[in-house]
């Protein structure tokens, strides 16, 4: 195959210089098939931080993928169980998140989109990985350490704290490694806070490979997609989060236009009477400009009466300053309008999808079936390598 390809490109060289370039490009693309894998926790309706920070990048990866690339995206119900859950709420959260992913444009025909908990191979592979991962390695994970620190602040002694916490929470990163490696990915798009989990994933892959004396699992790269870090509207020193007590600190993808306007109006900025992008000195205003720059910009272009728009935040701040005379109130009005417009089609699709639980269930079932096909191959090979079954493949 390769040989024929080279011959072909040599023939082209003499006569069709241009054709050869195209051929070469296709050839490179073929050689670099990417397998993209990522998961998200079902923590209720996504907020703007989730959307602009992570979910939108899934859609962008999907839309820019080459035909030979594969994408696996899933909702991690098993990880959600590491903290106490109300079954009804968890079920609704999983389903709502599936609807939200479809609503923002994840295409279930292009991507393998599924509920992780519907693919039991994740839990099985986790067990095999748990058997080659040391306690010490997991004790060094920052998520675990911060959990211990939280307990510590509650005044517990060391001994009591560790024994109170659940095994599932401790082993969470091992499950994540299984989620990832099950599909032999090349790339895993995640936020910065997941870097350590990805490092562990690569170490587990290498540890497994050493054990079976074969380069079986890949060591996938962390893909830091150019996504936005969106801050709390009430306290721009911290990220926008689902758990902040003040609901005005976040905008949900399902917020009504009235709600959006009220929340944006209350957003904390500063007393300066001009607009500039300076995340250090002016986190509040800069956050609003950042959100605007991450939206698609149709409304903004209309508001500003222009067809071209530089959405680099610093240059956008200058444009906005000129257009509004430096008014923070006008900036907020423009932002509200842009958000309402950007979220409207997403909200319509979201509500339509939730009206049709049978359709959602079909999508989930198909996704899980496709994922299981791939997962089954991995698990079968792993079982053979570990001595749990005879060679079958
Ligand atoms: N731990 C991730 C988070 O909290 C969620 C997650 C679970 C994940 N499994 C994954 C992310 C696999 C990427 C790949 O955001």
């Amino acid at each position: 195959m390769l040989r024929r390809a080279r011959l072909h490109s040599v023939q082209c060289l003499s006569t069709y210089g241009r054709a050869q370039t195209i051929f070469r490009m296709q050839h490179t693309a073929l050689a670099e098939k990417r397998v993209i894998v990522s998961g998200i926790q079902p923590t209720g309706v996504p907020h703007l931080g989730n959307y602009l920070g992570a979910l939108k990048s899934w859609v962008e990866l999907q839309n820019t993928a080459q035909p030979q690339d594969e994408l696996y995206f899933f909702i991690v119900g098993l990880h959600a169980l590491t903290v106490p859950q109300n079954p009804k709420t968890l079920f609704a959260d999983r389903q709502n998140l599936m609807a939200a992913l479809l609503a923002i444009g994840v295409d279930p025909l292009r991507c393998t989109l599924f509920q992780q908990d519907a693919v039991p191979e994740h839990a099985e592979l986790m067990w095999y990985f748990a058997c080659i991962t040391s306690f010490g390695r997991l004790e060094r994970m920052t998520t675990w350490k911060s959990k211990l620190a939280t307990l510590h602040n509650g005044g517990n002694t060391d001994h009591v704290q560790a024994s109170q916490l659940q095994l599932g929470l401790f082993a969470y990163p091992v499950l994540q490694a299984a989620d990832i490696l099950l599909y032999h990915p090349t790339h895993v798009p995640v936020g910065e806070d997941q870097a350590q989990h990805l490092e562990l994933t690569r170490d587990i892959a290498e540890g497994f490979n050493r054990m079976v004396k074969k380069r079986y699992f890949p060591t996938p790269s962390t893909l830091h997609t150019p996504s936005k870090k969106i801050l709390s509207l009430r306290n721009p020193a911290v990220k926008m989060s689902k758990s902040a007590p003040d609901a005005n600190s976040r905008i949900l993808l399902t917020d009504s236009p009235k709600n959006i306007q009220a929340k944006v109006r209350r957003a904390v900025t500063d007393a300066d009477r001009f607009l500039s992008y300076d995340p250090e000195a002016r986190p509040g205003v800069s956050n609003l400009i950042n959100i605007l720059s991450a939206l698609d910009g149709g409304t903004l272009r209309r508001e500003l009466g222009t067809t071209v728009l530089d959405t680099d935040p610093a240059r956008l701040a200058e444009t906005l300053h000129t257009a509004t005379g430096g008014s923070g109130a006008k900036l907020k009005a423009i932002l509200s309008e842009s958000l309402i417009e950007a979220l409207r089609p997403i909200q319509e699709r979201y509500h339509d999808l939730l009206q049709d639980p049978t359709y959602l269930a079909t999508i989930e079932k198909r996704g899980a079936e496709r994922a299981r096909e791939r997962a089954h191959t991995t698990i079968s090979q792993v079982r053979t390598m570990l001595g749990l079954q005879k060679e079958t493949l």
Side-chain angles (χ1 to χ4, degrees):
M1 177 64 198
L2 242 181
R3 191 149 178 202
R4 207 176 327 139
R6 215 175 297 131
L7 262 179
H8 184 57
S9 76
V10 171
Q11 278 166 3
C12 287
L13 188 64
S14 49
T15 38
Y16 314 111
R18 193 177 142 70
Q20 187 222 348
T21 322
I22 293 166
F23 175 77
R24 274 253 175 91
M25 267 168 47
Q26 283 173 346
H27 192 75
T28 317
L30 273 180
E32 289 172 4
K33 165 181 161 157
R34 301 200 305 170
V35 180
I36 294 168
V37 170
S38 196
I40 183 172
Q41 288 235 29
T43 49
V45 177
H47 55 66
L48 207 55
N50 303 132
Y51 175 51
L52 299 177
L55 302 181
K56 204 159 175 262
S57 75
W58 287 10
V59 179
E60 278 156 15
L61 281 167
Q62 163 193 289
N63 294 346
T64 53
Q66 299 290 317
Q68 74 276 10
D69 294 343
E70 286 174 29
L71 304 100
Y72 295 87
F73 294 129
F74 44 83
I75 296 167
V76 294
L78 297 179
H79 287 84
L81 292 173
T82 57
V83 294
Q85 293 281 350
N86 170 316
K88 285 209 174 77
T89 318
L90 176 60
F91 190 82
D93 282 349
R94 286 161 76 256
Q95 196 176 40
N96 292 348
L97 186 52
M98 181 57 75
L101 290 172
L102 294 166
I104 65 165
V106 176
D107 175 357
L109 293 176
R110 179 65 185 91
C111 306
T112 304
L113 177 66
F114 60 102
Q115 302 283 0
Q116 165 223 40
D117 47 66
V119 181
E121 285 79 0
H122 287 246
E124 183 172 345
L125 187 59
M126 179 211 172
W127 178 255
Y128 304 143
F129 287 167
C131 295
I132 57 167
T133 307
S134 79
F135 233 78
R137 187 74 171 79
L138 290 178
E139 270 175 339
R140 288 195 296 276
M141 304 306 285
T142 49
T143 33
W144 174 254
K145 285 199 292 194
S146 68
K147 206 71 193 181
L148 280 185
T150 317
L151 267 193
H152 200 60
N153 294 338
N156 286 301
T157 67
D158 279 5
H159 177 67
V160 178
Q161 319 172 6
S163 57
Q164 270 176 347
L165 291 175
Q166 280 72 18
L167 172 62
L169 195 66
F170 187 58
Y172 177 112
V174 184
L175 178 57
Q176 182 165 351
D179 291 343
I180 295 171
L181 294 174
L182 199 45
Y183 302 98
H184 292 256
T186 54
H187 297 88
V188 184
V190 281
E192 280 163 32
D193 61 334
Q194 296 296 312
Q196 208 189 18
H197 288 161
L198 264 287
E199 236 168 75
L200 176 74
T201 300
R202 286 187 285 266
D203 288 352
I204 289 179
E206 279 168 1
F208 185 94
N209 293 347
R210 262 196 309 279
M211 178 176 69
V212 300
K213 300 187 180 63
K214 203 190 267 183
R215 225 193 111 57
Y216 180 68
F217 283 116
T219 46
S221 321
T222 311
L223 198 63
H224 288 299
T225 41
S227 58
K228 296 278 179 176
K229 185 168 165 193
I230 306 301
L231 307 175
S232 156
L233 297 181
R234 299 296 295 164
N235 173 13
V238 300
K239 280 209 304 192
M240 186 175 282
S241 105
K242 173 193 160 73
S243 51
D246 187 351
N248 286 318
S249 68
R250 59 186 162 267
I251 289 175
L252 301 181
L253 284 194
T254 49
D255 275 348
S256 69
K258 266 213 169 99
N259 245 326
I260 293 175
Q261 275 160 349
K263 287 178 180 178
V264 171
R265 215 178 306 122
R266 282 189 209 132
V268 170
T269 50
D270 55 45
D272 287 347
R273 291 162 151 258
F274 65 97
L275 300 181
S276 63
Y277 186 72
D278 185 348
E280 294 274 305
R282 308 187 68 193
V285 178
S286 304
N287 188 37
L288 301 186
I289 294 173
N290 218 358
I291 296 175
L292 258 180
S293 81
L295 299 174
D296 291 332
T299 318
L300 186 54
R301 280 193 294 273
R302 226 172 306 126
E303 294 272 339
L304 301 175
T306 169
T307 48
V308 279
L309 189 68
D310 190 339
T311 53
D312 166 76
R315 279 189 292 275
L316 184 62
E318 286 171 25
T319 314
L320 286 165
H321 176 79
T322 316
T324 62
S327 155
K330 279 196 186 139
L331 167 67
K332 287 182 173 181
I334 292 178
L335 176 58
S336 298
E337 268 323 293
S338 300
L339 277 171
I340 293 167
E341 286 284 315
L343 296 185
R344 181 173 294 134
I346 295 177
Q347 296 183 344
E348 282 171 6
R349 282 195 293 273
Y350 180 74
H351 290 299
D352 284 352
L353 284 159
L354 287 181
Q355 294 300 311
D356 199 348
T358 323
Y359 173 74
L360 273 179
T362 312
I363 297 279
E364 289 189 354
K365 186 162 170 276
R366 275 199 212 134
E369 278 167 6
R370 259 164 64 188
R372 285 201 78 176
E373 252 177 61
R374 181 69 189 86
H376 175 76
T377 307
T378 302
I379 284 294
S380 180
Q381 289 166 341
V382 167
R383 284 176 142 262
T384 303
M385 284 184 275
L386 294 179
L388 299 174
Q389 74 179 28
K390 270 203 178 145
E391 195 111 20
T392 53
L393 299 158

